[in-house]
């Protein structure tokens, strides 16, 4: 039996801003863009990797979340402590320079970590924490 990760979910509060960031700054492909009741779910992924997807979803779409919980989620998103994803690249310095030049919000410049990785971090327009580490 083989199991792979097909989709991960990150919240978005402004679909156009999230789309512009992930498509135009990160260079990801748009694979699906679904609207329902005034909300949008946008599926994106890295070019050449059709089996790896991120779904940018509206956090208020979950009917099991109370208004108080939605408020807490919104506060956490604003602080950058709710959504997180770790991406990998073969050259973290070049990736950092490209994303910084494109206007991405820098959280951490490239640095060697004591656990053997070199990484950097950005935030997307919804406040999600994007860590990018260099594959060795």
């Amino acid at each position: 039996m083989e199991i792979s990760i097909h989709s991960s979910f990150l919240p978005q509060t402004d679909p156009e801003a999230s789309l512009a960031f992930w498509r135009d700054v990160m260079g990801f492909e748009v694979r699906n863009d679904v609207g329902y009741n005034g909300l949008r779910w946008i599926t994106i992924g890295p070019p050449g990797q059709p089996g790896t997807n991120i779904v940018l979803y509206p956090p208020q779409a979950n009917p099991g979340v109370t208004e108080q919980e939605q408020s807490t989620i919104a506060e956490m998103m604003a602080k950058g402590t709710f959504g997180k994803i770790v991406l990998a690249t073969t050259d973290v310095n070049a990736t950092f320079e490209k994303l910084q030049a494109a206007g991405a919000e820098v959280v951490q410049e490239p640095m060697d970590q004591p656990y053997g990785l070199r990484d950097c971090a950005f935030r997307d327009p919804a406040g999600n924490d994007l860590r990018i580490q260099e594959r060795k």
Side-chain angles (χ1 to χ4, degrees), residues 3 7 20 36 67-68 78 114 117 127 132:
I3 297 176
S7 297
Y36 178 75
E67 284 186 34
Q68 183 177 4
L117 294 172
I132 303 172

Side-chain angles (χ1 to χ4, degrees), residues 27-136:
F28 279 35
E29 299 172 339
V30 177
R31 301 197 175 137
N32 208 353
D33 191 341
V34 177
Y36 178 75
N37 278 348
L39 303 173
R40 284 172 68 189
W41 289 256
I42 303 167
T43 304
I44 56 170
Q49 300 176 43
T52 301
N53 301 286
I54 300 171
V55 180
L56 305 170
Y57 74 98
Q60 69 271 34
N62 187 339
V65 176
T66 67
E67 284 186 34
Q68 183 177 4
E69 290 167 333
Q70 285 183 17
S71 177
T72 299
I73 290 169
E75 290 173 15
M76 291 179 71
M77 288 175 67
K79 291 176 20 182
T81 58
F82 186 72
K84 177 182 293 261
I85 192 163
V86 178
L87 306 172
T89 181
T90 55
D91 186 338
V92 75
N93 291 334
T95 302
F96 176 84
E97 294 298 327
K98 178 182 173 190
L99 297 180
Q100 184 181 40
E105 181 183 347
V106 176
V107 175
Q108 175 204 301
E109 294 190 7
M111 63 183 292
D112 293 322
Q113 299 293 349
Y115 40 87
L117 294 172
R118 182 166 180 78
D119 69 359
C120 63
F122 293 90
R123 290 180 70 185
D124 80 355
N128 296 306
D129 181 26
L130 314 176
R131 297 202 71 80
I132 303 172
Q133 58 186 220
E134 185 171 321
R135 281 184 249 152
K136 299 272 180 183

